[in-house]
Amino acid sequence: MSWSRFLAVLIKEFRQVRRDRLTFAMMVGVPIMQLILFGFAINSDPKHLPLALVDADRSEFSRSFIAGLENSAYFEITERPAGEKEGDAMLAEGIVQFVLVIPPDFSRKLIRGERPAMLLAADATDPAATGNAIAAINAIGQRSIGRELAGPLASLRPAEQPFEIRIQRRYNPEGLTRYNVVPGLIGVILTMTMVMMTALAMTRERERGTMENLLATPAKPVEVMFGKIVPYILIGYVQVLVILVVARLLFDVPMVGSLALLSVVLVVFIAANLAVGFTFSTIARNQLQAMQLTFFFFLPSMLLTGFMFPFRGMPGWAQAIGEALPLTHFLRVVRGILLKGNGIAEVAPHLWPIALFMAVAGAVALLRYRQTLD
Amino acid sequence: MSAPAAAAIIDVHGLTKRFGDRVVVDHFDMRVTRGRIYGFLGPNGSGKTTTIRMLCGLLTPDEGEGTCLGYDIRKEAALIKREVGYMTQRFGLYEDLSIEENLDFIARVYAVEGRAAKVKATLERLGLHSRRRQLAGMLSGGWKQRLALAACLIHDPQLLLLDEPTAGVDPAARRDFWDEIHDLAAAGLTVLVSTHYMDEAERCHELAYISYGKLLTQGTVAEVIAGAGLVTWAISDGDLVALGHALRAAPGIRTVAPFGTTLHVSADDEAGLTAALAPFRSAGLTIKPIEPSLEDVFIALMQGASDNFTPPAQ
Ligand SMILES: Nc1ncnc2c1ncn2[C@@H]1O[C@H](COP(=O)(O)OP(=O)(O)OP(=O)(O)O)[C@@H](O)[C@H]1O
Ligand SMILES: [Mg+2]
């Protein structure tokens, strides 16, 4: 490996990136945009869902229940249709997320101990949107109607549980999605931009006709690879810095762990992704194919690593794929460092899989790199 | 002619390259000695670029072996690359880097001593010093070629491989270019240059003509012309267009080509020409025997070569 040739490629890459203003702006702009989208717009515990109420009972019980609903913050009564049919039409149109029908004889049957039913119809096309609200409604019913069943009616009250379960939400006491999502975004954004940039970096040489010239020079594969990878490691650091600053200022995400430790893990993680991108660039014939390969890698990284969906909720085969991806381990590390304040001892078990991935991807990239045009 | 003992800069035998089952270069031999300008001619798709790529280690030959600068073209490609300046057919420098940055990159990749001074000197010699910050992509075609040539020379190579270096360049710039090539050759540099221009072919010390991957002829301009054994007549006056059409179909005629107000007609011998022209003798034609030009020779060679062209498989 020659220092001069490595520097030659490195400086050239830097100059090209700097000149490509749009790409450069995107590499800083995309993290900010994604942060804001995921931080503000994407919420897996939605509140104030619109509900159409058909209260045919109009009793103390129904009024108390309705008050309970409104207090829960999960529901907001936006419509009061005349009957069930009209309510169903609203649900079908998507005006409301729920239709609640309290039948006319609800309170009478309740007092007689006949276990009457009210109907909550939910638009469950997106289960994530309705899941928590549905879980909440039972508790609301017990609390509000139970309160009304006093005096002679106390015998109708459901028996209290003989014990209590106390739940502690650690590291994220308010259960804020963004505490989980924002550190994860560091990994997701790095995966996308790093793989894509390197995958494009080599295919661009091929497409623009500069590859032949580059191959005709004495530059060796290692020199070209490192020369092309190092600038993007620095760009990756800039991205992380942007994300951390925005996460701190806009979302108050706690950062209890060591940022120095995080930056060590970052090098390995970024290099792993760059090696993947470099491998792709040896396969793709043009920039479009390079983009497609990037997404081929990016999708499982989004879906199977515990970024979008809880890792432990996935079937075994999906977890196995997830374990092989560097993002899975990086997510554990970055959440551990930022939210839990993990140190080197807790981080190390997740660091070596990333390093192993990097070594394998780098070796494949170097093996596939052709020094000829055959 | 140089003595056979003179150092062979390029010496290859039986070089063959196939893409799929199509033979693109077919048992090609070439020997170029130091300080010579060697012209490489042939129709489109005849395998010139492919041959040049094999010489500098960018393609591995399927058969054949040889040396370039004394290094084995199969095993010592890395050593060859250091001492060769290769100018690709398509502009191969970075259009999004400035002129100076491109030269700087090349100088660093070849680990040139005294890089900054060398780059500056090159810029000044090209007359591009004031425009050094301009992006290479903004240059006109002729300037791109000058820049590419300067980039090939920055590491003082022993051998220049130039693949159609003057395609699309105006005559004055081409003349400057060839003057420079001759100066470099006089200083000991060996040059292999592919071209489609006959006037450039005539400026070379030696020529090789390749068609469908096969070497058809090689030698000095005089040797190539003599070797073809053509007899050429220049015909003027009369209805040359009609005559041309009629002669093209006539047996024994190798080439018919209009040159301004004359028609060059070539055949393998005088008898053939006389026979073919007999029916038109009455038309008041003026006939003058001339020395066949390189172009006459090449067109005759090309038409004699077997046609193995198949459209490239996608
Ligand atoms: N990588 C490749 N794969 C398949 N076929 C190829 C490849 N490179 C070249 N060819 C084919 O080989 C033949 C010779 O190509 P080459 O570029 O060597 O011709 P050339 O003499 O340089 O032509 P031109 O004068 O047009 O530049 C062409 O028909 C071309 O289609
Ligand atoms: Mg060519």
Side-chain angles (χ1 to χ4, degrees):
Chain A
M1 171 141 175
S2 132
W3 187 246
S4 169
R5 291 195 294 257
F6 161 71
L7 264 189
V9 181
L10 181 81
I11 293 171
K12 165 187 101 63
E13 265 334 278
F14 259 122
R15 284 172 169 162
Q16 285 183 306
V17 173
R18 196 194 52 195
R19 202 142 286 149
D20 191 354
R21 291 269 160 77
L22 183 67
T23 307
F24 199 69
M26 289 290 283
M27 281 189 289
V28 180
V30 164
I32 297 180
M33 193 188 75
Q34 291 212 6
L35 257 184
I36 290 174
L37 284 182
F38 277 92
F40 282 131
I42 299 179
N43 188 347
S44 58
D45 189 17
K47 304 263 168 79
H48 303 291
L49 299 168
L51 177 140
L53 175 72
V54 184
D55 180 9
D57 190 38
R58 293 175 188 285
S59 64
E60 266 162 66
F61 294 111
S62 69
R63 270 191 295 277
S64 166
F65 182 72
I66 291 161
L69 280 187
E70 288 184 313
N71 285 337
S72 77
Y74 275 113
F75 302 97
E76 192 172 320
I77 299 166
T78 55
E79 307 289 335
R80 285 179 184 270
E84 193 178 339
K85 252 207 181 112
E86 206 181 309
D88 284 349
M90 289 173 171
L91 193 66
E93 270 182 61
I95 300 171
V96 292
Q97 188 91 32
F98 299 98
V99 180
L100 179 68
V101 182
I102 306 178
D105 48 358
F106 182 82
S107 49
R108 205 158 22 98
K109 283 190 178 166
L110 181 72
I111 293 166
R112 281 202 220 130
E114 285 179 23
R115 291 186 51 81
M118 35 180 145
L119 173 71
L120 179 76
D123 176 354
T125 44
D126 181 359
T130 48
N132 283 347
I134 291 173
I137 201 162
N138 271 321
I140 295 168
Q142 290 214 347
R143 232 184 299 125
S144 55
I145 294 187
R147 209 181 303 124
E148 295 296 321
L149 294 171
L153 300 174
S155 60
L156 291 170
R157 215 188 247 180
E160 290 216 20
Q161 279 188 359
F163 60 88
E164 179 195 19
I165 300 173
R166 229 176 248 165
I167 297 170
Q168 282 186 344
R169 292 177 152 186
R170 289 214 191 152
Y171 314 122
N172 184 3
E174 292 150 85
L176 294 179
T177 324
R178 58 175 183 257
Y179 279 14
N180 188 37
V181 165
V182 170
L185 265 186
I186 296 179
V188 169
I189 291 170
L190 284 177
T191 301
M192 190 168 82
T193 47
M194 294 297 107
V195 173
M196 188 164 72
M197 292 321 293
T198 28
L200 290 180
M202 285 306 283
T203 35
R204 202 180 303 132
E205 300 257 2
R206 206 163 299 142
E207 236 175 54
R208 293 192 187 165
T210 52
M211 191 68 183
E212 186 173 3
N213 222 4
L214 184 65
L215 289 177
T217 69
K220 293 207 183 79
V222 226
E223 293 151 0
V224 174
M225 184 163 116
F226 282 109
K228 279 182 175 284
I229 276 180
V230 171
Y232 294 106
I233 293 189
L234 295 183
I235 289 170
Y237 269 102
V238 173
Q239 287 189 321
V240 173
L241 199 69
V242 169
I243 298 173
L244 288 181
V245 169
V246 176
R248 187 81 227 163
L249 293 182
L250 279 185
F251 303 113
D252 253 339
V253 173
M255 292 166 198
V256 289
S258 148
L259 291 183
L261 180 59
L262 181 63
S263 57
V264 172
V265 182
L266 274 173
V267 190
V268 186
F269 179 66
I270 292 176
N273 281 307
L274 293 174
V276 174
F278 205 86
T279 307
F280 286 168
S281 74
T282 62
I283 300 169
R285 301 203 146 265
N286 53 47
Q287 298 195 51
L288 183 66
Q289 287 184 1
M291 291 292 285
Q292 286 167 336
L293 282 169
T294 304
F295 277 93
F296 171 77
F297 181 72
F298 185 61
L299 274 183
S301 290
M302 278 282 267
L303 302 177
L304 302 182
T305 56
F307 173 72
M308 287 282 251
F309 307 114
F311 193 79
R312 292 197 178 84
M314 299 191 306
W317 60 266
Q319 290 199 13
I321 297 175
E323 289 287 356
L325 295 170
L327 183 59
T328 305
H329 302 276
F330 181 73
L331 287 179
R332 293 173 190 164
V333 170
V334 71
R335 285 172 181 161
I337 293 178
L338 289 185
L339 303 180
K340 302 183 191 171
N342 281 356
I344 191 102
E346 291 93 349
V347 163
H350 302 298
L351 189 55
W352 72 260
I354 307 179
L356 180 67
F357 185 95
M358 176 191 71
V360 172
V364 172
L366 280 181
L367 282 179
R368 283 206 50 100
Y369 183 95
R370 292 263 146 268
Q371 260 188 303
T372 61
L373 294 165
D374 303 76
Chain B
M1 277 226 65
S2 55
I9 295 296
I10 299 176
D11 195 6
V12 293
H13 308 281
L15 228 48
T16 300
K17 183 72 191 174
R18 296 184 195 90
F19 289 117
D21 46 11
R22 196 158 136 241
V23 184
V24 168
V25 176
D26 194 359
H27 295 92
F28 183 81
D29 300 332
M30 179 185 266
R31 194 181 137 86
V32 183
T33 47
R34 178 175 297 281
R36 303 290 274 183
I37 301 174
Y38 201 91
F40 199 16
L41 289 103
N44 291 127
S46 54
K48 300 183 295 295
T49 301
T50 307
T51 306
I52 294 177
R53 284 175 176 164
M54 285 193 280
L55 293 177
C56 61
L58 286 179
L59 284 175
T60 323
D62 293 315
E63 276 171 47
E65 71 282 323
T67 59
C68 190
L69 295 161
Y71 302 117
D72 188 315
I73 56 165
R74 285 176 181 277
K75 299 189 201 98
E76 297 174 303
L79 295 170
I80 295 174
K81 285 177 186 178
R82 283 181 203 202
E83 291 176 42
V84 166
Y86 174 33
M87 180 169 164
T88 52
Q89 184 167 359
R90 182 177 164 189
F91 183 65
L93 295 176
Y94 297 93
E95 303 211 335
D96 54 348
L97 290 186
S98 72
I99 295 166
E100 187 177 29
E101 287 164 349
N102 266 305
L103 291 176
D104 183 68
F105 169 68
I106 298 292
R108 279 179 196 272
V109 170
Y110 285 97
V112 169
E113 308 252 334
R115 190 186 70 248
K118 196 94 194 210
V119 169
K120 187 157 181 276
T122 304
L123 283 169
E124 264 153 17
R125 190 168 47 80
L126 282 171
L128 281 174
H129 198 258
S130 57
R131 289 158 73 186
R132 64 189 185 279
R133 300 230 156 74
Q134 201 178 330
L135 294 189
M138 302 291 170
L139 290 172
S140 72
W143 277 106
K144 275 186 186 165
Q145 255 123 340
R146 273 182 231 189
L147 176 62
L149 178 66
C152 296
L153 289 170
I154 210 159
H155 61 290
D156 295 325
Q158 295 294 310
L159 170 66
L160 269 186
L161 301 174
L162 307 174
D163 198 357
E164 296 190 31
T166 56
V169 174
D170 70 49
R174 264 170 57 195
R175 175 154 294 191
D176 291 345
F177 176 88
W178 275 93
D179 287 346
E180 186 175 359
I181 296 294
H182 273 276
D183 289 348
L184 290 166
L189 193 71
T190 311
V191 183
L192 175 68
V193 52
S194 80
T195 178
H196 289 294
Y197 296 115
M198 290 305 136
D199 61 315
E200 294 190 349
E202 283 164 7
R203 287 162 168 269
C204 297
H205 297 136
E206 271 173 80
L207 296 176
Y209 189 87
I210 181 176
S211 182
Y212 299 109
K214 286 201 181 72
L215 181 69
L216 295 187
T217 180
Q218 92 180 320
T220 63
V221 176
E223 284 168 351
V224 166
I225 292 177
L230 277 191
V231 178
T232 304
W233 287 358
I235 304 172
S236 48
D237 305 328
D239 184 357
L240 297 180
V241 179
L243 180 65
H245 284 292
L247 285 179
R248 274 191 191 97
I253 296 294
R254 294 289 297 275
T255 71
V256 179
F259 279 81
T261 57
T262 63
L263 195 65
H264 288 197
V265 185
S266 309
D268 288 328
D269 48 36
E270 206 149 325
L273 275 177
T274 314
L277 275 168
F280 308 100
R281 281 287 173 166
S282 55
L285 304 172
T286 313
I287 295 174
K288 202 173 83 187
I290 54 164
E291 176 82 349
S293 67
L294 257 188
E295 186 163 320
D296 293 323
V297 171
F298 288 150
I299 291 173
L301 283 173
M302 206 167 105
Q303 282 165 353
S306 65
D307 187 334
N308 74 342
F309 180 79
T310 42
Q314 278 300 310

